[in-house]
Each structure stands twice: as C-alpha cells, then as structure tokens.
Amino acid sequence: MKVAYRNGILLDGSENMTPQTGKVVLVENETITAIVDEGADLSGYEVEDLQGGYLMPGMVNMHVHIPSSGKPSKKPKDPKKTVKLVTANQLTRKIVEHMYKGFGRTELLSGVTTLRTMGGVENYDTWLRNKINAGEVDGPRILASNMAVSVPGGHMAGSLAYEATTPEQAADFVRKIAQDKPDVIKLMITGGVLDATERGEPGVLRMQPELVKAACDTAHALGLKVAAHVESPEGVRVALENGVDTIEHGAKPDSEILDLFREKGAVHVETLSPALPFALFDRSVSYCSEMAQYNGKIVFDGIVDCAKQCLAADIPVGLGTDTGCPFITHYDMWRELYWFHKYCGVTNAFALYSGTKRNAELLGLGDVTGSIEPGKCADMIVTRENPLENLQALRKLEMVVARGKRYHQPKVKKMPQAERELDRFL
C-alpha cells in the first residue's frame, strides 16, 4: 500500500527539529520512501489528510515491565506469589497471554511504537515480540529481555528474576535466558525503594561484582547487551566496572563514575516516572511508609542528578517509564518526556528528540526507526497541538502509525486515580 501523509506539520525527530510545513511524507508498505513538497504528483497514493496536525516519530520507551499494570494498591503485593499463581496451569497462562497482548496494544495506541522490556514473566516477553513480528497481534516493536538475573533477597528475586548465588550460576542463568533469543539481558544489582530495610539506604548492593562480571562476560560472548537495575552510587560503580551497558535508574555520580561511563561507552536510562510518586506524593495517596518516601526522594534526586551530570558531560541519556510500578501505566510515556523537561531542565524539543530518535539510536535501531526520514520504518504519531510548545500535546493522539499500519483516533482505558494524582505535578 502506498500512502501520502499531507497537510500536516512535520517534526522529524532530529535534535534541533523545527516545525516544517508544506511537506508530504510518502510511505510504501512499512517504509518511508520520500518527503516531498506539497503539490507533488501523488498519483497511485492513498492520501491521508492530517488537517493541520503535527506528524512526528512514534515514541520509544527504553524500560517497560509488560505484565504489570501500574494500578495503585493500598497494600504491597507479593510478586513471588503472584507469578506462581499466574503460571500455575494452562488456564492462568492464557490469562497471562491475554494480559501481555492487551498491555502491548495499550503501549502502541498511546504512541509508543518501540519499547524495550526490562524483566518479565518467564519467556513471555519474547513470546509477545514474536507474535507482533509475525503480524498475529497488534503491538509495538519490542526488544525483549524475559527473566532477569538477581540474587537471593535481591530485587524481584524469584518472581521476574532468577536467583544466582555464584558467578557460575549467574553465567548459567544468562545462557538459560539466551535460549529464547532475547535482545538484552537484565541484572538486578541493587535493591529498590521497597526492598530497603533501613532509612537512607534505598539501593543497597545485592549482587557482588564477581557475579556481575560473570553475567556480563557471558552475555557479551553471546552478542547480547546488558542492562542493570541500580539505585546507589556503589551499584552504578560496580555495574560499570564489570561490563553493564545501560544503567537503569541511576544515582548521584562522582567524577570517577562519570569517567567510567565514558570509558565503557555506557548509557544512563533515566526513569523519573516510578520515583516521583514515592518521593513527591502525599503518603495518604502513595500508600507508602515514611521510610519508603524518604528513600524514594533519595532515588528521585539521584536519578535527576545522574541525568543532569551525564548530559553536561556528553554521556548518552535515554528515557524509560519503568511501567508497572505503582501509578506508572502503559499509556504514559509522554509523562516521562515531561518530567525530563521539568526536572532535568531540557527543552521540549530535546525531550521529544530523546524520547524518539535518541532512544532509538541508543537501542541500536537508529537506522530503523525514531525519526521521519526516507528509508526508515513508518512509525509515526499525529497530535493536534504542538508538543514543542507543550509536551502535554502527546497525551491525546489523533493517529498512530506503526510499521505502516494506521490506527485512527486511538483510545486507551485510563486509571482515573493515577491521572488525577500525576496531573498535580504538571
């Protein structure tokens, strides 16, 4: 199919993008073939009239847990028990499949045309990726991780992560995960906010350096990048020294850590969305303890500081939502761009570039997606308002185009409580 997208205002995804008028984007099947001037011969094309809307690349989310909804809960759930329950038999596994497909479609209809999973139930991340690639279900392009590697008592241990006790076992788990052909390996190096047992220690080192190195060496030998959950300076240092490629979340860096980022060619993936409710919500809303709020503020401030210092040092910074944490839904990638602008001080244009072209480049997909250029995949979204003026324009889309397939007036089911509380910080 040949489609011409005309009468729109083009934002191409480049770092210094400006609105371009009078342009027509030509697409054949999945590929952008040309960008021509209005008035060009469009014979043989179906014309899609954008009616003055803003046409830009689809968003790229670098950190998603597909099986979690983000629904707020008054009581903490036991992830081990939940995973055991949903994988208990064929019937419950059908529920998992339905959930995966539904959340994948929600990501897509909210404007995320590419995402990277960062820990899921068994091998369902690659299962969904393969279903989408085969055209059997609708969803974004997925770089999948499946299960992560943790340690006993570590973050997500026994639920979304295996528990390694020795370097040899960490390497064995990487090889086991690799059997399903994932795109990335995830390690849980430190604890998280809800794992902390003391006030002021939200990111205690759990995975020892020799386990990190064994896992990274094995993954790299298999041609796989490694991402790691880290929420303390010690954790960041251990991760970088032992081969981790992307630091998920992060913490306040010192000069040594910044040097390690440069030396290793590593990336910081900023995830303000999950930290904000813990740090800034009233505890009557977040349902968290005073200790969790205190520790959440340490993590939030650490992520902001890490992103700012990395940007100042010309170290790559990507964006992800950590969807699945309380209040963090599958339709709110636009909020991560907004928080990046608000708390890290970047321009709207840089936030939009980071959430599209830059993220795609950091995932190794810069020649495939992330910007509107001839030769790239037709992954695009349309808004009525200009996101360069206000990133909230991204919360309501008029169209999503994923691999050339169009979704007009996409709608997703939203959580009123999450919307209400998060909107207080816009």
Side-chain angles (χ1 to χ4, degrees):
M1 180 176 289
K2 298 170 72 174
V3 181
Y5 296 85
R6 64 167 300 273
N7 194 22
I9 302 170
L10 177 62
L11 302 176
D12 61 13
S14 59
E15 182 174 355
N16 300 308
M17 74 184 92
T18 56
Q20 300 178 54
T21 57
K23 298 294 182 181
V24 181
V25 177
L26 303 182
V27 173
E28 184 167 353
N29 298 323
E30 296 185 3
T31 306
I32 299 169
T33 55
I35 299 174
V36 300
D37 293 331
E38 284 279 6
D41 182 10
L42 301 180
S43 300
Y45 284 86
E46 177 187 345
V47 175
E48 183 74 63
D49 187 348
L50 302 181
Q51 300 179 10
Y54 287 81
L55 179 67
M56 69 201 77
M59 290 180 283
V60 178
N61 190 341
M62 289 187 71
H63 193 122
V64 177
H65 299 280
I66 295 179
S68 303
S69 70
K71 184 178 180 180
S73 175
K74 291 185 178 181
K75 294 182 179 180
K77 296 179 181 178
D78 182 342
K80 284 187 181 180
K81 185 176 179 180
T82 300
V83 171
K84 185 176 181 180
L85 177 65
V86 300
T87 57
N89 54 57
Q90 188 174 3
L91 176 60
T92 57
R93 286 177 177 275
K94 287 293 182 184
I95 296 172
V96 174
E97 293 177 6
H98 179 75
M99 178 176 62
Y100 258 80
K101 289 187 284 188
F103 288 150
R105 183 176 174 84
T106 296
E107 289 274 353
L108 177 67
L109 296 183
S110 71
V112 173
T113 52
T114 299
L115 62 80
R116 182 181 63 156
T117 68
M118 284 282 95
V121 174
E122 295 184 351
N123 65 346
Y124 281 101
D125 290 3
T126 51
W127 173 85
L128 181 62
R129 178 200 64 190
N130 296 344
K131 288 283 185 184
I132 292 169
N133 288 347
E136 296 176 21
V137 297
D138 288 339
R141 176 184 295 99
I142 291 178
L143 297 186
S145 67
N146 287 338
M147 293 279 284
V149 180
S150 188
V151 295
H155 193 58
M156 304 307 294
S159 57
L160 303 185
Y162 296 115
E163 299 173 88
T165 57
T166 65
E168 293 76 18
Q169 194 173 36
D172 285 343
F173 280 134
V174 170
R175 285 188 280 266
K176 179 178 181 178
I177 295 165
Q179 290 176 1
D180 288 302
K181 298 185 176 4
D183 303 285
V184 62
I185 296 295
K186 174 75 178 295
L187 306 182
M188 304 295 191
I189 292 179
T190 74
V193 172
L194 295 182
D195 302 321
T197 57
E198 294 184 27
R199 194 172 186 269
E201 294 188 0
V204 173
L205 184 68
R206 301 294 186 192
M207 183 178 287
Q208 294 306 304
E210 56 270 24
L211 274 74
V212 177
K213 185 176 190 306
C216 289
D217 287 351
T218 305
H220 292 157
L222 293 169
L224 295 167
K225 296 281 190 180
V226 179
H229 167 102
V230 280
E231 293 188 350
S232 66
E234 182 186 17
V236 175
R237 187 176 293 104
V238 166
L240 294 174
E241 287 175 341
N242 291 283
V244 168
D245 300 291
T246 67
I247 299 297
E248 310 297 311
H249 318 305
K252 183 179 178 65
D254 56 21
S255 59
E256 180 186 353
I257 286 174
L258 293 175
D259 287 343
L260 281 169
F261 265 110
R262 293 190 197 93
E263 177 189 336
K264 303 294 185 177
V267 173
H268 172 224
V269 179
E270 175 258 82
T271 57
L272 285 174
S273 291
L276 187 145
F278 285 116
L280 304 183
F281 279 15
D282 187 279
R283 288 192 292 113
S284 65
V285 173
S286 64
Y287 313 126
C288 71
S289 67
E290 188 277 335
M291 184 179 76
Q293 184 179 58
Y294 184 88
N295 288 337
K297 186 66 164 58
I298 292 174
V299 171
F300 182 82
D301 291 343
I303 294 171
V304 169
D305 196 68
C306 194
K308 284 183 173 181
Q309 290 203 49
C310 283
L311 289 172
D314 200 28
I315 293 164
V317 176
L319 306 181
T321 58
D322 202 5
T323 291
C325 291
F327 291 95
I328 313 308
T329 72
H330 283 285
Y331 56 80
D332 268 348
M333 176 61 184
W334 72 269
R335 289 190 192 272
E336 192 62 41
L337 276 62
Y338 188 93
W339 306 142
F340 190 41
H341 159 69
K342 180 175 180 178
Y343 294 103
C344 298
V346 304
T347 65
N348 286 345
F350 190 82
L352 188 60
Y353 155 72
S354 297
T356 56
K357 185 177 182 180
R358 188 56 167 152
N359 270 4
E361 291 171 343
L362 297 179
L363 291 176
L365 297 172
D367 59 344
V368 176
T369 190
S371 60
I372 298 180
E373 301 177 66
K376 290 195 176 182
C377 192
D379 297 329
M380 307 181 292
I381 57 177
V382 179
T383 63
R384 178 51 41 194
E385 305 300 326
N386 182 1
L388 298 184
E389 295 179 355
N390 187 346
L391 290 164
Q392 291 190 59
L394 297 167
R395 74 188 302 174
K396 188 176 188 313
L397 305 180
E398 300 201 336
M399 187 191 306
V400 173
V401 183
R403 305 190 207 199
K405 184 175 179 179
R406 288 168 286 173
Y407 303 82
H408 293 88
Q409 300 299 322
K411 290 182 173 56
V412 298
K413 186 177 181 180
K414 298 189 176 183
M415 300 179 193
Q417 182 187 9
E419 292 283 287
R420 182 177 63 253
E421 299 302 333
L422 290 168
D423 280 355
R424 297 180 193 276
F425 295 87
L426 296 178

